[in-house]
Amino acid sequence: MYDVIIIGGGIIGALIVREFSFYNLSLLLIEKESDVSMGATKANSAIVHAGYDPIPGTLKAKTNVEGNKLYQELCEELSVPFKRIGALVLAFNDEELKTLMELKDRGIKNGVPELYILKREEVLKREPNISKDVKYALFAPTSGITNPFLLTVHAIENAIGNGLVVKLNEEVVSIKKEEKFYQVITNKDIYLTKYIINCAGINSDKIIKMLDPDYPFEIIPRKGEYLVLDKKVKDFVKSTIFHVPTEKGKGVLITPTVEGNILIGPNAEEIPNKEDKSTTLNGLLEVKEKAKNYCENIPFPLVINTFAGIRASSTYKDFFIKELPEFRNILHIAGIDSPGITSAPSISKIALEWLMEKEKITPNKNAKRTLNKIFFRDLPDEEKERLIKEDPRWGHIICRCEHVSEMEVILAIHSKLPAITLEAIRKRTRAGMGRCQGAFCGYHIMKILSEELNLPLPQITFKGSESYMVKMENKARWKYVKRS
């Protein structure tokens, strides 16, 4: 019997369980994948938006602006990188200038500080690689960038330290209402709880339909494809660059990442299959052509990776954060598309307020708010030398592109939220995310996983399930074979 069960291990669920873990509550997080942060949290633009885009008066607007204000302290507490690099929304004619003025007015109504309209000379002085045809730009200095999947992992590890229980590889298949509690039935077990938080991302409508099959809410998956450029061109742009938005979203952007790459994308395509994360030639060409419309000399030969993410857009025109009338004590947090990453800290506080209205809860005096993590590449030389003397594995660099040591991989495997796949190691350490995309370090990481988990090499997977990295003798087919 748990006080609260949270369904979904993306950034929304992660920050909610962390917020709840500061109180005396028994908490269970259920995630159907092999690791947390496997959905939209893993594949997105990693932008902490300023808040000029959402319609005033909506939950999107409220949580965007409030969430933006919370990010600096949140990331400092959880050892996650965060930078306020500002954002520029470009206009190339007087008609688009009208849109910029509308966005500025909208931002002022939403409570966004420091919004400026810049002229061509000011824009090009800040960003010389922008097309010389630009006429104006809206500048939002409070916009930032972060690492959403690292924030998710660290928030959940923080909550585990405060008492959270996590069940991975478990999918909720049914919810049954009893007189004073709910049964949450998964493919592996049955759990009892008084309260449920539905943060299931693109599958949040499935949870709603388990309770009320006729409830008028649906997720409309919208796929966006991205290009990642090598760190060689990390100064190509210094701020996040947008063109004026459309009804489908903020459009193709160009932005630095906190790790030093340049990210370009996404396009927007409504798709029938929620699991379709494939990239396509047409989709990537669309991203390239749209980016070239407002940025010159983009070094596309230095693309090192492509990926696609799925946004949980919905038939509801705002974030859907509410109970169903017949099923009290279940809070549905659904349809969280952009600016979901930015809004997540604010949404977690809305969830806490919801619970406090229903239940008298007391602070957990032993709870910690901070999580200290060591990234070897960021340490001063003296500290690196000290660690290597203590354990030579600190000095054995497994990933040369991202300067990740063997010891960091081992610590990730044996952390509070163990990394047992190559992708889980990538998310926690960045090993395999550099220029060679794991061509050098992939096999070495597999060997470490094999030794530390006491598993034969053929049982090591890229992201769980059947994503084997090498051919298995007893299987005729396999779904994922990377470099041998």
Side-chain angles (χ1 to χ4, degrees):
M1 183 78 182
Y2 291 91
D3 293 321
V4 188
I5 289 179
I6 299 89
I7 303 170
I11 193 167
I12 303 292
L15 294 185
I16 287 174
V17 293
R18 178 179 184 258
E19 200 70 43
F20 284 14
S21 76
F22 301 142
Y23 296 86
N24 289 310
L25 295 164
S26 56
L27 305 170
L28 173 64
L29 175 68
I30 301 175
E31 168 56 50
K32 74 182 184 73
E33 302 290 348
S34 62
D35 192 20
V36 300
S37 182
M38 293 291 280
T41 302
K42 179 184 72 173
N44 57 78
S45 305
I47 306 297
V48 178
H49 293 287
Y52 54 77
D53 189 58
I55 303 299
T58 61
L59 269 174
K60 286 187 178 185
K62 176 180 183 292
T63 57
N64 184 338
V65 175
E66 290 180 357
N68 180 289
K69 293 175 183 177
L70 295 169
Y71 250 89
Q72 185 76 49
E73 183 178 8
L74 174 67
C75 288
E76 287 174 0
E77 289 177 344
L78 294 175
S79 300
V80 175
F82 171 70
K83 298 178 182 178
R84 289 198 189 278
I85 61 171
L88 288 165
V89 187
L90 308 181
F92 290 86
N93 54 55
D94 291 340
E95 192 64 31
E96 291 182 346
L97 174 61
K98 292 180 183 178
T99 304
L100 293 191
M101 299 304 293
E102 290 171 5
L103 289 175
K104 182 181 179 183
D105 182 59
R106 197 183 294 178
I108 292 170
K109 290 178 180 177
N110 290 342
V112 181
E114 303 179 81
L115 291 172
Y116 309 99
I117 299 293
L118 306 182
K119 293 183 179 179
R120 177 179 180 275
E121 294 75 16
E122 297 171 287
V123 175
L124 294 176
K125 186 177 179 181
R126 288 179 176 274
E127 297 289 353
N129 286 315
I130 286 174
S131 169
K132 303 303 183 288
D133 294 330
V134 68
K135 286 195 172 183
Y136 306 96
L138 174 66
F139 180 48
T142 58
S143 182
I145 52 176
T146 190
N147 183 325
F149 43 83
L150 190 64
L151 179 56
T152 299
V153 170
H154 286 191
I156 291 174
E157 286 192 353
N158 183 196
I160 291 171
N162 295 336
L164 169 70
V165 176
V166 177
K167 298 288 184 180
L168 300 175
N169 287 309
E170 286 203 39
E171 182 174 2
V172 175
V173 296
S174 178
I175 297 173
K176 292 185 178 179
K177 185 179 181 182
E178 304 292 345
E179 186 177 347
K180 294 184 178 180
F181 58 87
Y182 287 96
Q183 287 187 33
V184 177
I185 302 163
T186 74
N187 56 333
K188 294 183 178 179
D189 214 332
I190 298 175
Y191 306 98
L192 307 182
T193 185
K194 189 172 181 182
Y195 301 100
I196 297 172
I197 311 285
N198 169 18
C199 308
I202 59 170
N203 293 306
S204 54
D205 56 345
K206 287 177 63 177
I207 304 298
I208 292 173
K209 301 296 184 183
M210 288 177 191
L211 302 166
D212 184 351
D214 298 320
Y215 194 84
F217 178 86
E218 284 185 46
I219 294 294
I220 303 172
R222 183 174 289 165
K223 183 166 73 170
E225 301 179 44
Y226 292 86
L227 305 162
V228 183
L229 302 187
D230 189 84
K231 290 182 180 180
K232 279 184 177 181
V233 291
K234 66 177 182 177
D235 293 324
F236 183 74
V237 292
K238 298 178 179 63
S239 301
T240 301
I241 312 298
F242 298 94
H243 193 195
V244 290
T246 68
E247 70 281 354
K248 287 189 176 181
K250 299 177 181 68
V252 170
L253 60 86
I254 304 175
T255 185
T257 70
V258 285
E259 291 82 17
N261 299 96
I262 295 292
L263 185 67
I264 305 175
N267 61 341
E269 177 191 4
E270 290 185 5
I271 56 173
N273 182 3
K274 291 180 178 181
E275 304 301 323
D276 178 12
K277 298 175 185 176
S278 62
T279 55
T280 64
L281 177 60
N282 288 340
L284 296 174
L285 286 175
E286 179 188 352
V287 169
K288 291 175 69 173
E289 292 305 312
K290 287 185 175 179
K292 286 194 293 186
N293 285 336
Y294 60 88
C295 225
E296 297 177 351
N297 305 314
I298 300 173
F300 289 116
L302 292 175
V303 170
I304 62 170
N305 195 13
T306 63
F307 67 90
I310 299 178
R311 284 158 277 182
S313 301
S314 76
T315 51
Y316 195 71
K317 298 303 181 184
D318 196 0
F319 290 161
F320 184 92
I321 304 179
K322 58 177 68 180
E323 294 175 276
L324 304 190
E326 300 84 7
F327 297 92
R328 296 297 181 185
N329 298 340
I330 301 179
L331 181 63
H332 299 281
I333 302 177
I336 310 298
D337 50 9
S338 181
I341 298 295
T342 314
S343 296
S346 177
I347 291 173
S348 72
K349 296 189 181 299
I350 290 174
L352 180 61
E353 291 169 4
W354 171 82
L355 184 63
M356 284 180 160
E357 288 176 0
K358 295 175 173 292
E359 192 86 10
K360 185 177 181 181
I361 57 177
T362 57
N364 178 359
K365 294 180 180 179
N366 297 318
K368 295 181 179 180
R369 297 192 69 92
T370 59
L371 186 76
N372 296 317
K373 289 285 185 175
I374 294 176
F375 296 97
F376 189 73
R377 60 185 171 271
D378 297 331
L379 296 175
D381 290 343
E382 303 79 25
E383 183 64 12
K384 290 178 180 177
E385 290 175 7
R386 185 188 69 79
L387 288 173
I388 292 169
K389 285 180 181 178
E390 289 181 2
D391 192 321
R393 291 176 295 181
W394 282 106
H396 182 200
I397 300 302
I398 294 295
C399 175
R400 295 178 181 178
C401 299
E402 297 293 325
H403 304 285
V404 180
S405 70
E406 178 184 358
M407 193 63 186
E408 288 174 280
V409 174
I410 292 171
L411 289 174
I413 294 169
H414 298 292
S415 65
K416 288 186 174 71
L417 187 63
I420 61 171
T421 67
L422 265 78
E423 185 170 84
I425 295 292
R426 285 162 69 102
K427 284 189 287 193
R428 288 156 179 77
T429 69
R430 284 196 57 80
M433 284 193 174
R435 181 174 301 161
C436 79
Q437 290 292 296
F440 173 79
C441 65
Y443 177 73
H444 298 287
I445 296 170
M446 288 174 63
K447 289 283 287 183
I448 295 171
L449 282 164
S450 174
E451 291 165 6
E452 296 297 319
L453 299 174
N454 195 27
L455 289 173
L457 203 62
Q459 291 186 24
I460 302 302
T461 65
F462 181 68
K463 56 181 179 180
S465 187
E466 298 284 310
S467 59
Y468 298 108
M469 299 295 294
V470 297
K471 185 176 180 178
M472 297 190 64
E473 295 178 2
N474 63 339
K475 285 186 178 287
R477 301 179 66 188
W478 62 97
K479 291 185 179 179
Y480 192 96
V481 177
K482 206 173 171 68
R483 301 170 181 90
S484 51

